[in-house]
Amino acid sequence: MSSTDTERADHLRVLGLNDDEIRVYQHLLRAGPASITELDEAVPGQAVGIDATLGGLVQAGLARRSGSDHSRFLPVPPDAGLEALTLRRESELKQARIEVLNAYDEFRRTVHNEATTHLIEVVSGTAIVERINQIKGSAQREILAIDSPPYFLGAGPNQMEIEQLNRGVTYRVVYSPESVEVPGYLTENILPCVEAGEQARVLPDVPAKLTIIDGSIAYVSMSVRDTDVNRSLLIMRPSSLLTALIGMFELCWRNALPLHASVGTEDDRLEPIERRLLALLATGAADDTIARTLGISRRTFFRYLERLMNRTGASTRFQLALHAARENWL
């Protein structure tokens, strides 16, 4: 079997086809219309008879009878069949989810009978990364985050977020100044995610590291100002505590400054590099970090900064930031 056939088989298996149905369907795609006898000989070793296998493909909307005597079978346009398979699979997954939740509730009532145990889960050590990936990977609508070092998943590119943004998951992230000071984190992680659609803001002082998934589950840990090691992760499920965490995020979001220039804002008085410089200033990044990110010398950075302050009449960077926010430059 070729690598293409193997990959296709994996996808068909996800849709609910069994191995015999996949092998027969693959043969029909390669060879075209075939009789029952030809298929039985071409695909030996089936667990069930060829009649049952073909019946499954016909029922799934992937094959039909052809010929004057209806003795041959051929693949058909799969649109309707795939839709039916997808809906059936979704129904099965929902039912399985209900069964798992019911089984866990039964466990909690009979084996681990503590009324609030299921609301908070404490994770530590090497299990932290696995649980974070599980929770973030389940996002369907929105992820809210307050970002600060140290990082459980490292500070490199965030491919999972970019993939989720591409499939429509909304990200709103409040960054701490320490985030942009981590070597490479701004250019390799934050900015690529912003370019992919993340809404990003920065707050001078964040209360905790927090991620909220679809408003239904969250995980929280200490920020870099509270700890310098990855000690533990608290996972919160629907409760008054989760509601409070969502409220805390929204409060931080309202008080934070945009991390990047607003898309579509036009102002002839500003050059693109000046907009980028103002956005980086808002993060609280050090002068050397800003200059390195912009690809300019420290001297050129100060020349741009001086020109902006003279243009706005600002005598301090704080006044410059206020003017930039008031003029919607950020």
Side-chain angles (χ1 to χ4, degrees):
M1 183 181 291
S2 68
S3 59
T4 301
D5 285 346
T6 301
E7 292 174 3
R8 186 182 296 127
D10 290 338
H11 294 308
L12 291 170
R13 196 171 289 112
V14 168
L15 290 172
L17 269 63
N18 63 42
D19 289 343
D20 288 344
E21 291 168 343
I22 291 171
R23 292 167 61 208
V24 171
Y25 184 59
Q26 298 266 46
H27 179 77
L28 286 172
L29 290 175
R30 289 192 301 269
S35 68
I36 292 179
T37 302
E38 291 169 342
L39 289 169
D40 200 19
E41 294 174 352
V43 188
Q46 298 175 57
V48 297
I50 186 64
D51 290 334
T53 300
L54 287 168
L57 290 175
V58 171
Q59 185 178 10
L62 298 178
R64 69 172 177 84
R65 292 180 179 273
S66 69
S68 58
D69 57 356
H70 301 289
S71 63
R72 303 177 73 77
F73 289 81
L74 79 165
V76 297
D79 297 16
L82 288 179
E83 181 67 20
L85 283 173
T86 301
L87 291 175
R88 186 174 71 187
R89 191 62 169 165
E90 287 178 352
S91 177
E92 292 172 352
L93 289 172
K94 287 179 181 178
Q95 184 60 40
R97 180 176 182 273
I98 291 172
E99 292 298 329
V100 172
L101 290 173
N102 288 341
Y104 181 77
D105 285 341
E106 181 66 20
F107 157 79
R108 186 165 49 83
R109 287 194 303 270
T110 60
V111 181
H112 202 60
N113 189 17
E114 294 183 24
T116 59
T117 299
H118 68 293
L119 298 179
I120 301 177
E121 175 186 351
V122 181
V123 184
S124 58
T126 58
I128 290 177
V129 172
E130 180 181 358
R131 291 295 283 126
I132 288 177
N133 284 329
Q134 287 175 343
I135 296 170
K136 291 189 72 174
S138 68
Q140 297 297 316
R141 297 180 290 101
E142 181 183 54
I143 291 182
L144 312 176
I146 298 176
D147 184 285
S148 174
Y151 295 109
F152 299 113
L153 302 180
N158 191 341
Q159 192 59 40
M160 176 186 287
E161 177 176 339
I162 291 175
E163 290 173 358
Q164 289 179 318
L165 286 165
N166 289 337
R167 65 177 174 85
V169 177
T170 300
Y171 269 77
R172 286 192 287 149
V173 183
V174 176
Y175 290 95
S176 68
E178 290 84 2
S179 297
V180 297
E181 291 293 345
V182 174
Y185 191 64
L186 179 66
T187 55
E188 296 176 15
N189 187 303
I190 298 176
L191 294 181
C193 289
V194 168
E195 291 171 2
E198 175 188 293
Q199 301 173 58
R201 295 186 180 183
V202 64
L203 194 65
D205 188 14
V206 301
K209 285 165 58 72
L210 170 67
T211 302
I212 303 167
I213 312 296
D214 293 336
S216 61
I217 190 169
Y219 57 87
V220 62
S221 61
M222 294 182 181
S223 69
V224 71
R225 297 185 182 185
D226 301 312
T227 181
D228 58 356
V229 293
N230 299 346
R231 295 186 182 277
S232 61
L233 188 76
L234 299 181
I235 299 175
M236 316 290 180
R237 292 177 175 80
S239 60
S240 58
L241 179 57
L242 178 58
T243 301
L245 290 174
I246 294 173
M248 183 183 76
F249 170 83
E250 295 295 352
L251 182 62
C252 290
W253 179 259
R254 288 195 298 270
N255 286 281
L257 285 174
L259 180 60
H260 54 94
S262 302
V263 176
T265 300
E266 297 293 338
D267 194 314
D268 294 337
R269 294 173 296 172
L270 285 181
E271 299 178 12
I273 193 172
E274 291 174 323
R275 288 188 180 279
R276 190 97 179 271
L277 187 150
L278 285 170
L280 292 170
L281 278 175
T283 69
D287 295 347
D288 289 339
T289 301
I290 296 175
R292 185 169 58 251
T293 302
L294 294 175
I296 59 178
S297 68
R298 184 180 174 86
R299 181 177 180 180
T300 302
F301 161 73
F302 281 112
R303 187 164 63 247
Y304 275 116
L305 180 61
E306 182 180 11
R307 187 165 65 183
L308 285 167
M309 295 181 73
N310 289 338
R311 185 181 305 167
T312 60
S315 57
T316 66
R317 293 189 184 190
F318 179 73
Q319 291 176 345
L320 175 61
L322 288 178
H323 182 90
R326 186 168 57 249
E327 296 297 321
N328 198 31
W329 290 352
L330 292 172

